[in-house]
Amino acid sequence: MERLPFIAGNWKMNKTVGEAVDLVRELKASLAGVQGVEVAVAPPFTALYAVWKELEGSSIHLAAQNLYWEEKGAFTGEVSPIMLKEVGCHYVIIGHSERRQFFGETDETVNRRIKATLTQGLKVIFCIGETLNEREGGKTFSVIERQVEGGLKGFGDKKIENMVIAYEPVWAIGTGKTATPEQAEEVHRFIRGKLEKLYSREVSDKIRIQYGGSVTPENVKGLMSQRNIDGALVGGASLKGESFSKIVRFKEL
Ligand code: PGA
């Protein structure tokens, strides 16, 4: 089964509106004409509208980094799926390890966020991954299993097709320690097997699984050559036009 490679840039809490617009202008130019790969950028909330306007006519998709599951109301500081749709978002990153680590996100709240996102017709980049302690304690697969089961609880086949999974080992995020292609592939294969058990072979074959954690132009090709690695969720290296474009153009490296 051919899955379209998907490279997404997670800008995290970086870029003012002006800086964000400059970066997408650069990306639009450097990525013009690139085919056979889907691309998305996830600026902070404050820059979404301006980036959306700048992306008009481009095939680069817009993603948000989080949302709240209610449509509207007295939830100070939160942003709803409808609001994100209105400013041109196509994807929402949910369950990033930084949200789990610093902002109390749990499998249950991840599940509620995924539900609300899919219900509003947005697509999800659902992040999972083990910490260093969990890996060293031999718990990688049980943690991944728990996160997949918890995050996807209550979904039927139809909805799940609007989802991308990002495997991001916490020990590899922002540390410069990438998982080796083989280490990543082992977990990606496990995730696909789990999806097959939960849904079907057909569904698990369709779902794209990105790898995230210190992806760079130097290591992307090796990672992308693995059978079950269908893309990358890129943090640090997505903040510069040159390195992100190289990653998107991994086939040419
Ligand atoms: P990194 O971040 O590429 O800076 O390691 C990846 C991520 O957290 O999505």
Side-chain angles (χ1 to χ4, degrees):
M1 162 105 210
E2 269 296 303
R3 290 177 290 266
L4 182 68
F6 180 24
I7 309 289
N10 174 13
W11 296 0
K12 308 193 180 184
M13 198 172 74
N14 294 291
K15 306 289 177 193
T16 60
V17 175
E19 290 165 349
V21 168
D22 284 348
L23 178 53
V24 279
R25 265 193 202 139
E26 190 182 339
L27 291 177
K28 265 189 356 186
S30 60
L31 296 178
V34 177
Q35 286 186 336
V37 54
E38 182 179 0
V39 182
V41 290
F45 289 136
T46 45
L48 286 173
Y49 183 77
V51 168
W52 176 45
K53 289 288 156 194
E54 193 58 42
L55 285 176
E56 256 170 39
S58 137
S59 59
I60 301 173
H61 284 136
L62 188 63
Q65 299 174 18
N66 183 36
L67 48 53
Y68 190 57
W69 53 78
E70 295 290 348
E71 281 180 26
K72 60 180 176 179
F75 303 104
T76 302
E78 297 299 319
V79 171
S80 81
I82 292 175
M83 293 167 179
L84 295 178
K85 236 172 43 177
E86 196 193 13
V87 293
C89 287
H90 199 84
Y91 284 97
V92 185
I93 298 172
I94 294 180
H96 190 279
S97 64
E98 285 148 19
R99 303 253 14 124
R100 295 179 191 257
Q101 234 179 319
F102 307 134
F103 302 102
E105 190 87 73
T106 63
D107 292 330
E108 204 222 319
T109 58
V110 165
N111 182 254
R112 296 184 75 165
R113 284 185 165 86
I114 296 179
K115 260 187 205 147
T117 307
L118 296 178
T119 303
Q120 290 300 332
L122 287 157
K123 296 187 179 193
V124 169
I125 299 176
F126 166 34
C127 303
I128 54 178
E130 80 288 0
T131 62
L132 186 59
N133 260 346
E134 289 164 342
R135 176 161 282 259
E136 286 177 346
K139 295 193 195 126
T140 299
F141 295 109
S142 61
V143 167
I144 295 295
E145 184 162 39
R146 193 205 73 221
Q147 290 175 337
V148 170
E149 280 176 359
L152 300 184
K153 208 175 199 169
F155 295 130
D157 294 23
K158 271 277 146 291
K159 288 221 162 137
I160 187 128
E161 287 174 11
N162 284 322
M163 173 150 351
V164 172
I165 293 182
Y167 168 58
E168 300 202 302
V170 180
W171 48 271
I173 295 180
T175 57
K177 282 189 209 146
T178 336
T180 63
E182 295 72 25
Q183 267 175 329
E185 171 65 13
E186 191 187 19
V187 181
H188 281 231
R189 200 182 317 116
F190 176 80
I191 296 167
R192 207 175 297 288
K194 185 73 203 164
L195 293 172
E196 185 177 341
K197 272 188 224 145
L198 288 173
Y199 300 95
S200 64
R201 179 72 188 267
E202 206 195 333
V203 169
S204 76
D205 267 353
K206 274 192 201 154
I207 293 181
R208 290 176 296 175
I209 308 176
Q210 297 176 312
Y211 168 79
S214 299
V215 175
T216 61
E218 287 70 43
N219 59 31
V220 65
K221 206 162 182 180
L223 289 159
M224 290 302 292
S225 67
Q226 299 293 318
R227 199 186 166 86
N228 287 292
I229 301 184
D230 309 311
L233 182 56
V234 187
S238 73
L239 297 175
K240 291 224 166 74
E242 198 191 344
S243 47
F244 189 63
S245 300
K246 279 191 187 155
I247 293 172
V248 171
R249 291 179 178 277
F250 69 92
K251 287 180 191 159
E252 300 161 27
L253 291 170

